[in-house]
Amino acid sequence: MSDWQGGDVFRRSPALSGKEDLSMGEDKKANKKRKRIVARQPVQMIVSREYVPMNFQRPSFQNMIKDIENGLINCVITKDLSRLGRNYLDCGLYLEVFFPENNVRYIAVNDDVDTLNKSAMDITPFRNILNEMYSADVSVKIKSAYRARFQQGKFMGTYAPYGYIKDPADHNHLLIDDKVAHVVREIFDLALAGNGIAKIRKHINKQHVLCPAAYAAEQGAAGYERYFEDNEENRYIWSENSVRGILRCPVYAGNLAGYKRIAANMKSKKRPSKLPEEWEVIPDTHEGIVTQEEFDTVQQLMTSRRREQNAGGFENIFAGVIKCADCGYALRAMNANRRKRPDVIDCVQYSCNNYARYGNVMCTAHSIEARDLFNAVLADINRFADMAVNDERAVRAIEKRLTETDQSKAKAMEKEQKKLNKRLAELDRLFSSLYEDKVMERITERNFEMMSGKYQKEQLEIEARLREVTETLNESYEKSQGIRDFLSLIRNYQGLKELDATVVNALIDKIFVSEREKSADGTVRQEIKIYYKFIGFVGELHITPTKRWTALPAKHCTVCGVEYVPGSAISKYCPICAKKMQREKSNESRRRSRTRDRQVCIELSAKNDRLKKTMRSDTSINPIKSRHSAFQ
């Protein structure tokens, strides 16, 4: 018998780490059988602790592979095939490629697998498949258990998110951490005020607040200290991803979010991230630091493309809200460089972004002065606020106008819903009696199948229609509730003097601006549609666009001294003198042009005269050469 230098592979279960492993005891019982197979005791015992059988990157296993490649081991023994691993592809690679190439004998004692016995190896691939199926089945059961706990609203993370702590009485429940909850609250307040992530980050960094990773390390969480070993100042430096993660996380609204990154299967270690709208969310599992309405508003602001301040210092409070009524693109705030005004708002107008990029091929300008938009929106908000406080009759009229169609439609749908539910109950009774008739052999099998198919088809149609009716009714109820919520909200803004991003984002969902229209009498009008939160569109606004020059004060003409209203800040002349000055400048320009042309003609004539003289002098000096060249 050949001398075999063996590696004896044990794999201890992670669940039994630190305890007596029953499988180890079973392996000891099989030791006599191993001694009969090999001539010597194994060179080394290879034990893998805390590793799952699907993982072939176990340190001890990799050390054994290196010893095989170095020629130190030529025999590997396991209790059974599953001790080598439960990955069908990797097991097949080692058994059918790696071990034979390195002249290694493999033995699985309990499964009677020996690479020297070729006939016994025929069934081995099927054993590996069954071993992998066992791991897959365990994986499904574990995932199902975790999902069931998640759907019950239980938090299962190792550490609580920033701003929360685990409940000492129930570690699957979150409590607000009063030490840092105010930081989270401030971040959301800044976002609601229209600030971007970069600006929020700078504001928090100025306050010298511990970043989430540093705070977790301070609370005893493992694995975070390595980020601050080289520079302690990093503990107080927030990244934009930290701010974005807080603003995007539904946990801060009192909801439990999960399944943000899911592996394709149990073999894959890659876990691609999902978009926030694809996360699974369980509502109202704990107390929120912010309200759901505030959280939803922040998500809308973050989703919209925003530029809070342009190069001229204008604060665009309508960023992400104002849209073109025709193409749906955002309206950008644009500076009119020639308009020198004391207030920066009078130097800005909004224009369609689609038109600014591609010209009138795609859309038209839809220009509106920033001052006109501010005044129109402010007046409309004050109108609704005064109405909500002082005019109950007008409020009821608006409620009736917005819900009149919905209420009549809702009544009809409620009747239909009752009728459908009644018919479903009748079908259930018919199915029951039909089955009894079949069992009692009152009807034939053919008639039973025909009638049951007919009833089943009707059941499916009724259930589909019932779902549609229920969804429509829920939308109607939500709209009625939305009107009440909007009126209670807008009452707080009665007598509003100034608009800011916080007010706009709290009340308004979107604003559509139409193109200017010129009527037959020469007046210009522009339509604005404001869609408020909770109630949507109530009624359009019609404004008369402000002419650009009306905001400039009167001036005196520098020629005649007459007072006039300038068209731009650089204007120096009244309209009459401006025409005279334009004619004079035009005449002077033509005179300069004629003088320049005359000078060019004189210079060309002089140049031709000099050229002729040069040619004559050359002819007088060499007449023979000149004639010869002429003959040629």
Side-chain angles (χ1 to χ4, degrees):
M1 180 182 290
S2 301
D3 289 343
W4 297 102
Q5 297 177 335
D8 208 352
V9 180
F10 290 90
R11 179 177 46 75
R12 298 190 65 181
S13 171
L16 297 174
S17 179
K19 302 177 183 179
E20 182 64 28
D21 193 343
L22 297 179
S23 62
M24 289 284 287
E26 294 175 4
D27 283 321
K28 290 174 182 177
K29 292 179 182 178
N31 196 35
K32 293 180 180 179
K33 193 171 183 179
R34 292 193 188 93
K35 288 181 180 179
R36 288 197 301 269
I37 296 173
V38 295
R40 295 183 182 180
Q41 291 295 328
V43 171
Q44 56 180 320
M45 192 77 70
I46 297 148
V47 182
S48 297
R49 295 183 176 90
E50 305 293 341
Y51 288 93
V52 296
M54 295 296 294
N55 185 5
F56 275 85
Q57 301 304 316
R58 311 189 292 267
S60 299
F61 186 86
Q62 291 301 315
N63 292 336
M64 182 189 74
I65 296 300
K66 291 179 182 178
D67 289 343
I68 290 175
E69 292 173 345
N70 294 331
L72 300 178
I73 294 177
N74 61 5
C75 181
V76 176
I77 304 173
T78 62
K79 173 189 171 185
D80 52 42
L81 274 173
S82 66
R83 298 303 181 184
L84 182 66
R86 291 187 182 273
N87 190 316
Y88 162 67
L89 295 176
D90 288 344
C91 283
L93 178 67
Y94 282 110
L95 291 176
E96 299 178 16
V97 180
F98 182 78
F99 288 163
E101 285 181 352
N102 290 274
N103 296 319
V104 173
R105 179 184 180 186
Y106 172 74
I107 300 170
V109 178
N110 290 349
D111 290 334
D112 291 328
V113 173
D114 190 343
T115 52
L116 294 183
N117 185 0
K118 301 300 181 183
S119 60
M121 291 295 294
D122 293 339
I123 197 67
T124 301
F126 299 101
R127 294 180 185 273
N128 287 331
I129 292 175
L130 293 174
N131 290 334
E132 182 174 308
M133 290 176 64
Y134 175 80
S135 289
D137 182 58
V138 171
S139 174
V140 169
K141 291 177 180 177
I142 292 175
K143 288 179 180 178
S144 299
Y146 275 113
R147 181 173 287 277
R149 299 185 71 188
F150 171 76
Q151 290 174 347
Q152 292 171 5
K154 294 183 177 180
F155 178 79
M156 292 176 291
T158 306
Y159 303 111
Y162 182 79
Y164 284 95
I165 58 173
K166 288 189 175 183
D167 189 346
D170 181 7
H171 283 193
N172 298 121
H173 183 254
L174 296 176
L175 298 176
I176 293 178
D177 186 358
D178 295 329
K179 295 179 182 178
V180 293
H182 67 280
V183 179
V184 177
R185 175 73 255 181
E186 186 175 8
I187 289 173
F188 275 92
D189 287 341
L190 291 170
L192 289 169
N195 296 292
I197 291 175
K199 191 179 291 186
I200 295 173
R201 171 182 170 270
K202 291 178 182 177
H203 177 82
I204 298 297
N205 283 338
K206 288 179 182 177
Q207 297 183 358
H208 208 63
V209 177
L210 282 173
C211 68
Y215 183 75
E218 188 180 76
Q219 299 301 309
Y224 293 102
E225 281 295 338
R226 65 179 186 274
Y227 297 118
F228 316 110
E229 291 176 352
D230 298 332
N231 189 355
E232 285 293 317
E233 282 300 314
N234 289 343
R235 294 179 181 274
Y236 302 95
I237 297 177
W238 285 62
S239 67
E240 290 189 4
N241 283 337
S242 297
V243 177
R244 184 182 293 107
I246 289 175
L247 292 175
R248 285 290 191 190
C249 186
V251 169
Y252 298 104
N255 307 320
L256 186 64
Y259 296 92
K260 303 175 184 178
R261 300 171 61 212
I262 300 179
N265 52 56
M266 65 177 184
K267 298 181 182 180
S268 175
K269 299 300 180 184
K270 293 183 178 181
R271 300 172 63 199
S273 298
K274 287 186 174 184
L275 295 174
E277 52 267 23
E278 297 176 347
W279 297 349
E280 295 188 26
V281 179
I282 306 299
D284 302 326
T285 58
H286 54 273
E287 183 182 358
I289 297 177
V290 298
T291 64
Q292 185 64 47
E293 290 76 16
E294 290 172 332
F295 180 79
D296 293 339
T297 301
V298 169
Q299 304 316 300
Q300 182 182 358
L301 295 177
M302 291 180 67
T303 304
S304 303
R305 294 183 60 195
R306 305 173 55 79
R307 187 178 180 183
E308 293 84 5
Q309 200 172 71
N310 66 3
F314 172 70
E315 186 180 358
N316 184 11
I317 66 172
F318 294 109
V321 175
I322 185 170
K323 309 286 183 182
C324 174
D326 292 328
C327 67
Y329 271 58
L331 265 63
R332 64 165 66 171
M334 304 175 67
N335 280 348
N337 297 324
R338 289 190 176 184
R339 285 190 275 170
K340 306 300 181 183
R341 307 287 197 273
D343 293 333
V344 66
I345 187 176
D346 295 315
C347 300
V348 176
Q349 68 176 5
Y350 288 94
S351 183
C352 177
N353 205 12
N354 202 12
Y355 169 78
R357 286 184 178 181
Y358 306 110
N360 56 11
V361 177
M362 301 300 294
C363 194
T364 54
H366 291 75
S367 299
I368 183 171
E369 297 292 320
R371 175 72 73 180
D372 292 342
L373 181 64
F374 275 59
N375 291 340
V377 174
L378 181 61
D380 203 52
I381 291 175
N382 279 321
R383 179 171 68 89
F384 278 110
D386 292 338
M387 186 188 302
V389 174
N390 302 321
D391 196 347
E392 291 293 336
R393 183 178 297 177
V395 170
R396 286 195 295 271
I398 291 176
E399 289 182 354
K400 185 177 180 181
R401 180 157 57 89
L402 291 175
T403 60
E404 184 175 8
T405 305
D406 291 336
Q407 285 179 353
S408 59
K409 187 178 179 181
K411 289 180 181 178
M413 285 197 166
E414 285 176 355
K415 292 180 180 179
E416 185 180 1
Q417 187 181 38
K418 292 179 181 178
K419 186 177 178 181
L420 292 173
N421 285 325
K422 183 178 179 181
R423 179 56 182 167
L424 272 180
E426 290 177 358
L427 287 174
D428 290 339
R429 288 194 297 271
L430 288 173
F431 262 118
S432 178
S433 61
L434 187 65
Y435 181 74
E436 289 178 2
D437 290 342
K438 178 181 178 297
V439 172
M440 300 299 294
E441 296 183 354
R442 294 172 186 159
I443 59 173
T444 62
E445 184 73 24
R446 176 179 174 277
N447 290 338
F448 173 78
E449 292 178 357
M450 181 184 67
M451 294 299 294
S452 63
K454 177 183 175 182
Y455 291 152
Q456 283 178 350
K457 183 180 178 182
E458 186 180 358
Q459 257 185 341
L460 293 174
E461 292 174 353
I462 291 175
E463 288 174 352
R465 177 56 184 166
L466 194 58
R467 283 193 295 270
E468 294 177 5
V469 170
T470 305
E471 290 175 2
T472 306
L473 285 173
N474 290 337
E475 291 176 1
S476 177
Y477 299 149
E478 289 175 2
K479 191 169 185 179
S480 299
Q481 181 62 38
I483 294 173
R484 292 189 289 271
D485 293 340
F486 173 75
L487 292 173
S488 63
L489 175 63
I490 203 168
R491 286 190 182 97
N492 301 324
Y493 296 96
Q494 186 184 20
L496 187 67
K497 301 296 183 184
E498 292 291 337
L499 277 180
D500 57 28
T502 305
V503 176
V504 172
N505 296 329
L507 293 176
I508 297 174
D509 187 22
K510 54 191 173 184
I511 300 173
F512 283 115
V513 177
S514 300
E515 186 58 270
R516 298 180 181 185
E517 295 179 357
K518 190 173 183 179
S519 59
D521 58 357
T523 58
V524 179
R525 299 178 67 190
Q526 194 166 17
E527 184 181 274
I528 302 174
K529 291 183 177 180
I530 302 177
Y531 287 77
Y532 288 99
K533 291 190 174 178
F534 303 114
I535 62 172
F537 174 65
V538 179
E540 64 274 0
L541 301 176
H542 292 92
I543 65 168
T544 302
T546 304
K547 294 184 179 179
R548 295 186 178 184
W549 48 264
T550 55
L552 287 176
K555 279 187 175 183
H556 290 280
C557 178
T558 57
V559 176
C560 64
V562 175
E563 188 178 41
Y564 73 102
V565 178
S568 68
I570 62 174
S571 175
K572 297 179 180 179
Y573 314 110
C574 66
I576 297 175
C577 293
K579 292 181 180 179
K580 291 180 181 179
M581 295 300 295
Q582 187 177 4
R583 283 198 297 269
E584 290 179 6
K585 289 180 180 179
S586 179
N587 293 335
E588 180 64 24
S589 177
R590 282 196 291 269
R591 282 195 296 270
R592 286 197 301 268
S593 179
R594 286 196 295 268
T595 302
R596 188 169 53 253
D597 293 343
R598 191 180 301 113
Q599 184 65 29
V600 170
C601 290
I602 293 171
E603 290 177 358
L604 287 174
S605 179
K607 186 176 180 181
N608 288 335
D609 292 342
R610 287 194 301 270
L611 185 59
K612 288 178 182 179
K613 289 179 181 180
T614 303
M615 292 178 67
R616 289 195 195 101
S617 62
D618 291 343
T619 305
S620 62
I621 293 172
N622 294 315
I624 297 174
K625 184 177 180 181
S626 177
R627 287 196 299 272
H628 179 70
S629 62
F631 282 120
Q632 289 178 343

